[in-house]
Amino acid sequence: MYRFLRVVLISAAWVLCALHGRAQIVARDSVAISADSVRRAFDDRPYFGLYKDNYFIFGTSIGSRPTRENSNVKFQISISQRLTKSVLPWNTYLFLFYTQKVLWNVLEKSMPMVDLNFNPGIGLVKPLFVKNRFIGKLMLLLEHESNGRDGLASRSWNKVSVGANVMIDPNFIVHGKFWIPIVDGQYNKDILDYSGVYQVGTSFFSNDRRFGASVTLVKRRGWELNYNTIVELNYRLFKRDNQYLFLQYYNGYGEFMLNYNRFTSSLRVGIVIKPEIFSDY
């Protein structure tokens, strides 16, 4: 057991150090963010940056006895690349996105990576302003998601997605995303019944930006009140760093693509590195 945990900790440190070199730290204590400062940030920032949360977490299933099979590592690496030097028509920017999510059974013999999900995308991002204050952004994306396998284990689909993140106030953000699916995977034709048709959520931050919490609901297809639920808590370790202690609770279907139609309820803890201003989902 000690050897397995040691491997997990060393791997986590390697991933987080690599990402930390790319992370951007912004002022967290300002009440409002001006339009000019945001436009300068988009134009002057490095082309390469973070997209969604980048995390490394370990945990187990809830409601059943922990075993080597249901206790595992989940980690996500998510980056963005701005493709345009300056603003496009309608005050938009063109971005290339890439997210990779991995389920790693570190307690089993040979420590297999059970499922790898690849999610590249390209799309337009439009910052939103009200009275010269930055309040969020709109996104129009073309996305692909698959697990890179062939045969019976192959899973894939495509989405035309429209999303928004809106700051109700400096401590409270609402976000939503819906998509037009193009399901091309032969063995996941019913993926909308499990991985959903849209998502909504909210995020809260303390005044000093040290503590944060978020809830995301992913609506599965149908008229029933059937949602996949994701609850996340984070606490910033050091005031000037962009690394947080992180807890994630997942309840529902579609956490990973291989077994997208299998219900899971899991709790994991670890470390997360967050993008500038707020996270994407």
Side-chain angles (χ1 to χ4, degrees), residues 16 47 95 208 277:
L16 292 171
Y47 284 96
F95 277 84
D208 60 3
I277 305 178

Side-chain angles (χ1 to χ4, degrees), residues 112-152:
M113 291 189 176
V114 179
D115 202 15
L116 287 79
N117 294 177
F118 308 94
N119 181 204
I122 188 170
L124 295 171
V125 176
K126 176 180 173 58
L128 298 177
F129 304 100
V130 172
K131 296 181 180 179
N132 202 42
R133 290 174 55 186
F134 175 69
I135 65 164
K137 63 184 179 182
L138 291 173
M139 296 183 292
L140 174 63
L141 308 175
L142 177 61
E143 299 182 75
H144 170 78
E145 187 173 15
S146 66
N147 64 349
R149 298 196 184 188
D150 57 9
L152 296 176

